[in-house]
Structure formats: C-alpha cells, structure tokens
Amino acid sequence: MSCPRCQAEEKHCRLEHEGREAGEIIWKVFYCQRCAFTWRDSEPTESIDYEKRDEWFQVDPDQPDQYPHNIPPAKLHKNK
Amino acid sequence: MAGKNKSISSQAKAVAERIHCLRDYLDLLSEHGQFIKWPEAVMPEPDIRKIAVASGRDSMGAPAIMFDNIRGYPGRRMVFGVHGSFSNIALLLGYPKGTSIKELFYELIGRWGSDKPLIDRIKAEDAPVNQNRIESDINLYDVIPLYRVNESDGGFYIGKANIVSRDPLDPENFDKQNVGIYRIQVHGPDQFSLLSVPSHDMAHMIRAAEAEDLPLKIAVMIGNHPAMAMFAATPINYDESEYGYASQMMGSPIQLTTSGNGLDIQAGAEIVIEAELINNKRTLEGPFGEFPGSYSGVRHVPLFKITAISHRDNPIFENIYIGRGWTEHDTLIGLNTCAPVYSQLKESFPEVVAVNALYQHGLTGIISVKNRFAGFAKSVALRALSTPHGLMYLKNLIMVDEFVDPFDLNEVMWALSTRTRASDIHVIPNMPLVLIDPAAEVPGKGHRLIIDATSFMAPDPVGADSKLVMPPSGAEIDELARMVQELQRRAEKS
C-alpha cells in the first residue's frame, strides 16, 4: 500500500479508523503523514487509485514551497 | 445596515417561537413534506455525493435528506439539504412552500435593522448539547460519519459548522466573539485544519494569537439553529455579534450556553467540538470542490487540536453538498448576498426595486431599476460595483426594468432578448475580483461586464413597435398564481 496522492510508502500511511458492523470490518480509513491526504479503502478508484486519479491532483510533499500559506505563521513574519 | 424595521408577521413569529434547534426545524420541514429519510443503506462514498447532486436539481422544492444507515457507521446519522431549497427557506420565514424567491427577498429586507439581540441563557447542565461529553481518547469518527464530499477533495470535510471564537487580545468581549462558517478538513481522530480567507475575522484572531503567543480556543458547532447556519455567513462588522443578528432576523431568542472551554455556544447544537490552535503549525489542506464549481488548490493552513467533544444523544451530523451549482450553498447564502447589495444601493437610488445576486455568491447579479432618465441604469450598475460586496464579486451585471422580476429568469431573458443593443454592453477590464473566480486572467483581477437591458428612453432613439404590453401585475396576480397552485394541488389529491 502507498498513498494514492503522493505515493508515500506504507510506513507513512497511518490507519485512522475501521468501520465495523457486528464485529466485521467494512472499510478502513488511512491518512498520509507526508501529504495530508485522507482516504477510505472502499472508495471508487478515481479517488484512491494513483493510476486512475487525475494527475492535476497529485501533491509533492518534497516541494512544500509549491503550496502557498493562506495565513503565514508569525514565526515566518519575524524571520522575514 | 439600513432596514425598514418591518414587524414580523404573526405566522412567522409562531414559526420562530417553536424553532430552537436543528431538530425543531426538521420537525417543521417534515410536517410539510420537506424532510425525508433515505430508505436504504448507503456507502459513505459515492452514495451520499450522488444523492446530494440529484436532489440539488430542484432548487425550489428539494427536501432535507437524512441517512441513518451508513455502512461502517452503525447508529450514526447525517443530514444534508436542510437549507437546500427555497421552499425550506420559506417555511423557516413563516411562508408556505413554493413562495416566490422575490417574496422571500422582500421578507428578508423587511427584517433588517430591527430590535436588540435576543439571547436566552441556558445552564450548562440543562443544555441538550451536554448530554454526552468526551474528554479523553477522542476520535471524531466515533461521533461523526465523515466522508469525502467531492471525489477529488484532499480529505473528509465538515462544511457547514458554525465556528465560534473570541479575540485572543480581548477575550471577555461578547461582541468581539466571532461566529463564522469556515471549511474544516479532518487530519486525524483529534486534529483538523480550518481555512479562513485572510481578511476574515478568524484569520485576524489566528494572527493575533500567534504574534503574541496567546491561546486561541474555538468551538465548532455542528447541527445548528437554522437561522445561525443562514446568517453566520452574512458579512457584518467585526464588533457585531452573529448571535444577536440571527436572533433579530428570526424575531426570537437564540439559546446559548457556555462550552467547556469558555465560549458561548448554541445550547441545542447537535455536536460541539472544542479545540485549540496549535500556534505556528501548518498542514497541507485541500483541494476542495468549492462554490464556483471548481477545486481550490492545496495550501498550508493552520491546524487545531481537539480538546473535548460534547454531543446530544443520537447526534445528527449536518453537512452540505457544495460543488458546481446549483447546490445547497447557493440557497443557503443566496438571499443574504442579495439583501446587503440592495439596501446599500437603495440608499443612493430609491428607484432600485430588487437585486438578484444568487449566482455563485453574486459573480452574476441582476438588478431591476426604474430608469429616471436614459442611461440611468448604467450609473446604478457602476454604484453597485462599489458596494462592499460588489467590489470583489459583482462581475457580470444585468440591469432590467422595474417591472421585470430579476428572480424570474424567463422575464430576464425577455429583457435581454428585446431591450439590449450593442451599445448597452460595457466591459471594464483589469478590475479587482475575488481570488476564487476561475475565469480570472490572474487571481485577484478580472473584468466587469454591464448589460443594460432596460427599456429605451429619449434622447435614445426609441425602437419600432416600442409600446410595451403591460399585463396585470402586483399582489392580486400573486394571489391568483397561488390560487392556481392550490387548485392544482387539490386536483392532484382528488
């Protein structure tokens, strides 16, 4: 398993929650600790299969500067 | 804001007095066939999304829809479409379902600027929201059936919460307590991000807390009084209370209690999440399918840590479908977008009759105005562009005569078809524009388009066959239209 959005390895994918009915697991929710994507393993492939997802929605956590701050932290203000 | 201080009708008063929370409103909607429970089990994705899109097709009549059998979330329930149609809004304002948008518009205008805030204080131990409280091992998924709203959203969103916060520099001041709707993305069992436009009150508070290294405590209220959901999104001044405003608009008190972290919350809210800003921490947020009908990008956004959750027995997660219009978002904020533009225009130009700014938060507006002289409507359009909302939003403006109902697109199309000349179309390029307009050439700048579709007047050359048919109009015709509908309903029943 890897992140459907940034392809981070399994060790970065945190199990968030298991949906159960009468003790049986219906689905699992995961969270990518690298790109902050959340997904459920029961979702349609357009949302959770890296190959089928629209490329436009890929995120590269190694390029954080690509993603602007909507409110820069105060520490950033002070450094500037 | 200017208002006529019209008194609220006895029927509206009776409705207002029986509604104290979401459940009361759902009861009212149910009595009028405007609330249904989905009869089958649904998967969180894609079923909820598909049903929401389908019901959004009927902006006049769609019901609120509840799911109480969501696979993997046994015992949890959620509702959407509570403000999803003008019939639902009509019932809230004490009108019959099917009431025209124009009538609802005038009702809202009439309620402005009245009375002082009406607040009922409820002891914390008596508040329904405190029936259950979680302070340790917090897991949002245990309380809220979270799901992905649009297929390419970056995560699971809470899109219709009222978020209350107090100025960290002046925490005792009730009037500087802000209640707003900000989108929330869940980042784990006990963390979430919150997106605030940099100019909004919440952003001001976040900057103040981080600059002075003070705690910023907030309460996220889910499943709210229907007036709060409608009016928390209305731009009012920084030192005015949204609670006061919503109670004035309803003409009945809002019941408040104190949250565990010291904020004024709705006593009858379904779920209240108490949380604290993690100062200077940011996380990637988005994309999220937003109201212009396109996805917003990924940004670094402030992160909050949940400290406690209170909820009613068997709580209802109220959420909203938002995406390419028409959606509940358009109905929820539509009339509240029209009203301030109207009242500000009316102060300068009493000839303005109505403003329809329902489309994408007013990116397109239609204004009906009585021409004082030839070309007058164009000047009124320019004034509309300089109102606080017009400044950033009113991109396309269509001006129509005073006898054209701007909310009736058949009438507007008549005006465009028969009143518009090439010289009536004006484009102003390179103007300021709200960041999220996907048509902008660069974010923050764009065009303004004015189409003057009002009638010709001397000294303009007046066209051939220019004498208008003036069919009967006014209250009598409105009443007859209602009678036709009623007779039709009876015919259907018999």
Side-chain angles (χ1 to χ4, degrees):
Chain A
M1 185 182 62
S2 59
C3 170
R5 178 160 82 165
C6 74
Q7 286 193 303
E9 295 169 29
E10 186 162 1
K11 65 180 180 188
H12 300 293
C13 303
R14 186 175 72 198
L15 174 67
E16 298 285 75
H17 189 68
E18 292 173 341
R20 290 171 182 266
E21 285 174 15
E24 188 190 338
I25 296 173
I26 306 290
W27 41 253
K28 293 177 181 177
V29 170
F30 296 93
Y31 181 77
C32 175
Q33 297 176 84
R34 296 219 65 219
C35 80
F37 185 66
T38 302
W39 73 99
R40 190 183 332 261
D41 61 8
S42 59
E43 290 188 68
T45 51
E46 290 76 15
S47 295
I48 61 167
D49 181 338
Y50 182 83
E51 298 300 327
K52 296 211 171 147
R53 285 172 53 85
D54 186 329
E55 276 179 32
W56 194 86
F57 295 104
Q58 286 175 7
V59 165
D60 185 354
D62 292 324
Q63 304 284 332
D65 293 345
Q66 283 185 17
Y67 309 105
H69 280 270
N70 93 307
I71 305 169
K75 280 179 183 163
L76 279 189
H77 281 306
K78 282 174 187 166
N79 291 342
K80 277 184 181 173
Chain B
M1 210 169 287
K4 292 208 168 61
N5 214 351
K6 191 182 90 174
S7 63
I8 291 171
S9 74
S10 58
Q11 194 166 0
K13 198 106 194 141
V15 167
E17 278 167 5
R18 65 173 278 195
I19 294 179
H20 304 293
C21 63
L22 172 66
R23 293 181 192 206
D24 296 339
Y25 185 40
L26 293 180
D27 286 343
L28 175 76
L29 294 178
S30 184
E31 288 163 23
H32 295 270
Q34 288 298 117
F35 171 53
I36 59 173
K37 287 186 181 170
W38 195 254
E40 295 162 358
V42 293
M43 284 299 282
E45 304 87 12
D47 297 348
I48 294 175
R49 179 186 314 142
K50 285 181 174 175
I51 295 163
V53 168
S55 78
R57 287 183 181 177
D58 182 5
S59 62
M60 280 310 288
I65 300 180
M66 177 180 277
F67 300 104
D68 55 6
N69 188 356
I70 306 169
R71 299 295 314 274
Y73 288 120
R76 302 275 81 92
R77 47 188 191 157
M78 70 90 53
V79 67
F80 76 91
V82 172
H83 299 79
S85 66
F86 287 108
S87 282
N88 288 7
I89 307 281
L91 291 168
L92 177 64
L93 298 177
Y95 280 76
K97 65 187 205 180
T99 300
S100 74
I101 304 171
K102 191 176 181 183
E103 280 179 88
L104 299 177
F105 166 79
Y106 284 125
E107 175 63 27
L108 217 62
I109 295 295
R111 289 188 184 201
W112 247 330
S114 49
D115 306 335
K116 59 181 188 302
L118 306 163
I119 306 292
D120 268 355
R121 289 274 165 189
I122 307 284
K123 282 187 199 158
E125 59 264 36
D126 297 331
V129 69
N130 287 329
Q131 283 163 347
N132 305 275
R133 188 161 171 85
I134 304 165
E135 292 181 337
S136 58
D137 297 324
I138 292 167
N139 180 2
L140 273 179
Y141 291 88
D142 285 337
V143 183
I144 302 177
L146 296 161
Y147 64 99
R148 194 183 312 278
V149 176
N150 277 302
E151 69 174 13
S152 297
D153 290 347
F156 301 164
Y157 276 83
I158 299 171
K160 204 183 177 184
N162 282 169
I163 293 126
V164 58
S165 53
R166 281 194 182 186
D167 189 337
L169 303 175
D170 192 5
E172 303 305 316
N173 191 334
F174 177 82
D175 288 334
K176 283 192 185 172
Q177 179 167 259
N178 172 59
V179 186
I181 296 182
Y182 304 96
R183 75 188 203 204
I184 285 177
Q185 182 180 350
V186 173
H187 289 273
D190 63 352
Q191 287 195 352
F192 60 82
S193 61
L194 181 152
L195 182 79
S196 170
V197 175
S199 60
H200 277 188
D201 295 347
M202 177 61 82
H204 169 86
M205 291 180 183
I206 289 169
R207 276 191 292 263
E210 291 186 337
E212 304 299 325
D213 204 20
L214 294 168
L216 175 60
K217 294 178 180 181
I218 66 170
V220 177
M221 299 174 283
I222 298 169
N224 297 306
H225 188 297
M228 281 308 299
M230 261 183 87
F231 299 119
T234 306
I236 56 175
N237 293 329
Y238 186 59
D239 56 355
E240 291 175 322
S241 158
E242 286 84 358
Y243 287 130
Y245 181 64
S247 68
Q248 289 165 355
M249 293 302 283
M250 279 302 284
S252 74
I254 298 277
Q255 295 179 336
L256 297 184
T257 191
T258 308
S259 67
N261 61 353
L263 296 157
D264 290 312
I265 55 168
Q266 294 166 72
E270 293 291 329
I271 301 162
V272 171
I273 301 168
E274 296 169 17
E276 191 167 325
L277 176 69
I278 307 173
N279 280 357
N280 294 306
K281 174 110 172 149
R282 298 293 185 266
T283 186
L284 290 178
E285 193 266 2
F288 183 62
E290 271 287 3
F291 70 88
S294 47
Y295 287 94
S296 64
V298 176
R299 299 184 184 88
H300 285 94
V301 167
L303 195 64
F304 287 78
K305 174 93 173 164
I306 301 175
T307 51
I309 300 176
S310 299
H311 67 86
R312 297 178 70 146
D313 292 339
N314 202 9
I316 304 168
F317 171 36
E318 184 192 8
N319 210 11
I320 187 168
Y321 177 73
I322 179 167
R324 207 169 78 212
W326 191 274
T327 73
E328 179 179 356
H329 180 266
D330 298 305
T331 324
L332 178 66
I333 66 163
L335 289 169
N336 308 316
T337 308
C338 303
V341 178
Y342 169 84
S343 85
Q344 287 146 9
L345 266 183
K346 192 86 178 164
E347 282 174 18
S348 314
F349 298 117
E351 294 86 355
V352 172
V353 175
V355 173
N356 172 1
L358 295 178
Y359 310 103
Q360 284 62 60
H361 207 3
L363 283 178
T364 292
I366 306 162
I367 298 174
S368 85
V369 59
K370 183 174 169 50
N371 264 326
R372 204 189 294 170
F373 41 75
F376 179 70
K378 295 178 179 70
S379 298
V380 175
L382 293 172
R383 172 72 187 94
L385 297 187
S386 66
T387 59
H389 192 73
L391 210 52
M392 296 306 279
Y393 278 89
L394 291 175
K395 181 175 68 170
N396 305 316
L397 269 182
I398 303 170
M399 309 303 289
V400 295
D401 284 312
E402 79 279 14
F403 51 81
V404 172
D405 175 357
F407 295 99
D408 183 335
L409 295 188
N410 288 335
E411 292 192 24
V412 174
M413 292 311 287
W414 169 83
L416 282 175
S417 303
T418 66
R419 308 284 95 189
T420 312
R421 295 166 167 166
S423 58
D424 286 327
I425 298 168
H426 308 277
V427 177
I428 312 172
N430 202 20
M431 292 283 282
L433 197 65
V434 65
L435 281 170
I436 46 145
D437 178 11
E441 287 173 47
V442 290
K445 293 297 281 290
H447 76 267
R448 300 307 170 101
L449 166 67
I450 298 168
I451 301 177
D452 182 358
T454 58
S455 291
F456 322 118
M457 258 178 129
D460 269 342
V462 177
D465 294 339
S466 61
K467 270 294 177 201
L468 291 178
V469 178
M470 296 303 280
S473 63
E476 190 190 353
I477 303 300
D478 292 344
E479 189 50 41
L480 285 170
R482 260 195 292 275
M483 240 175 99
V484 170
Q485 281 182 347
E486 181 54 33
L487 289 169
Q488 202 177 1
R489 263 197 293 275
R490 279 189 224 161
E492 195 180 68
K493 279 182 195 160
S494 62

